[in-house]
């Protein structure tokens, strides 16, 4: 098969189906010069009729973010490759130990319905969850760490207006970390509804950007590479060990509320140290998580048949893992 960047770009049609406020950063403008690219909005409540424009577009390749919520009839109506990109935090295996919370288990139980959907390939963003999913008969096509459209998410020069910035919903866990800082510093917290250039501008106006998990659980939010691509100096709770981002080289890792308070104070007083780490993070994302490079590479590997198709199994382990999940949730609720 020909590689996508060797084909007549006029014959390629690529669709991204997503909630743009959450996922556009991963693909915006990245493939515009190699294909006809269109974005289609999805919502969990959408029915087949809401995807009429997508079906009419008839893409050669369709990337679905949160593909488990797309009606099966829509997938059966599309003739091209159908690829689901899973984004939610699921239970993961770290140092041979399964790490989870009630929230991540519930998210996984919602995701399980994807076994009934006719996707050609399904990828999860965090490789540490793949073995857990495989025990449930969901042998995915592999991991696909969400990249960043570095043509849009890039450093901009602004006067620094805020000491600290966080974008994401408020949770009890996060507010334990944020509370003291919101009293002591100029802290901008935007819960939702902003992306693209306005978000880039807010990042550029902030001295420190934070990445704190929604729950008390190690996870890897794609937010962190988006911030780094904008040249931000990032302080984060520990993220899932991965091959891309390096703690205390590309970003600063903290392990507690008090550790965060101490690190914030230190780096606000030593901006030259923060700049060195921010530059490392910026260069790292450009090197290993650039959206154009990562999507072209993924498409190439699929066309060269180097990627495992999505073929979910229905085995005894399906029942075992589901029982395990429900038992754990019941214990949390007691």
């Amino acid at each position: 098969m020909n590689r996508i960047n060797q084909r007549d770009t006029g014959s390629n049609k690529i669709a991204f189906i997503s909630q743009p406020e959450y996922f556009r950063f991963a693909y915006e403008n990245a493939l515009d010069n190699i294909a006809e690219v269109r974005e289609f909005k999805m919502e969990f409540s959408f029915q087949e009729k809401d995807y009429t424009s997508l079906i009419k577009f008839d893409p050669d390749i369709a990337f679905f973010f949160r593909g488990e919520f797309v009606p099966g009839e829509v997938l059966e109506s599309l003739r091209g490759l159908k690829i689901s990109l899973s984004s939610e935090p699921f239970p993961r295996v770290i140092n041979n130990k399964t790490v989870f919370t009630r929230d991540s288990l519930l998210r996984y139980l919602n995701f399980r319905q994807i076994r009934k959907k006719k996707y050609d390939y399904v990828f999860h963003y965090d490789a540490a969850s793949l073995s857990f999913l495989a025990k449930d008969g969901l042998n995915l096509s592999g991991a696909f760490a969400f990249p960043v459209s570095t043509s849009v998410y890039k450093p901009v020069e602004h006067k620094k207006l805020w000491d600290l910035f966080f974008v994401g919903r408020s949770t009890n866990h996060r507010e334990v970390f944020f509370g003291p800082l919101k009293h002591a510093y100029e802290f901008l917290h935007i819960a939702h509804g902003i992306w693209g250039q306005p978000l880039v501008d807010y990042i550029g106006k902030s001295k420190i950007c934070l990445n704190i998990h929604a729950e008390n659980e190690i996870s890897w939010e794609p937010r962190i590479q988006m911030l780094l691509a904008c040249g931000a100096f990032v302080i984060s709770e520990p993220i899932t060990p991965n091959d891309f981002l390096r703690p205390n080289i590309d970003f600063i890792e903290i392990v507690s509320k008090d550790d965060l308070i101490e690190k914030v104070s230190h780096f606000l007083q030593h901006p030259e140290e923060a700049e060195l780490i921010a530059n490392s993070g910026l260069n790292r994302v450009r090197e290993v998580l650039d959206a154009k490079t990562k999507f072209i590479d993924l498409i190439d590997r699929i066309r060269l048949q180097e990627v495992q198709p999505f073929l979910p199994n229905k085995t005894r382990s399906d029942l075992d893992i589901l029982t395990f999940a429900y038992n754990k949730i019941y214990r949390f609720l007691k």
Side-chain angles (χ1 to χ4, degrees), residues 286-300:
R286 287 176 171 175
E287 177 187 357
V288 300
L289 286 172
D290 175 75
K292 180 176 180 180
T293 300
K294 298 302 290 185
F295 274 109
I296 288 178
D297 177 68
L298 179 63
I299 294 169
D300 284 349

Side-chain angles (χ1 to χ4, degrees), residues 124-139:
H124 185 58
Y125 84 99
D126 190 344
S129 293
L130 294 182
S131 61
F132 178 87
L133 273 63
K135 290 180 181 179
D136 193 19
L138 288 177
N139 296 298

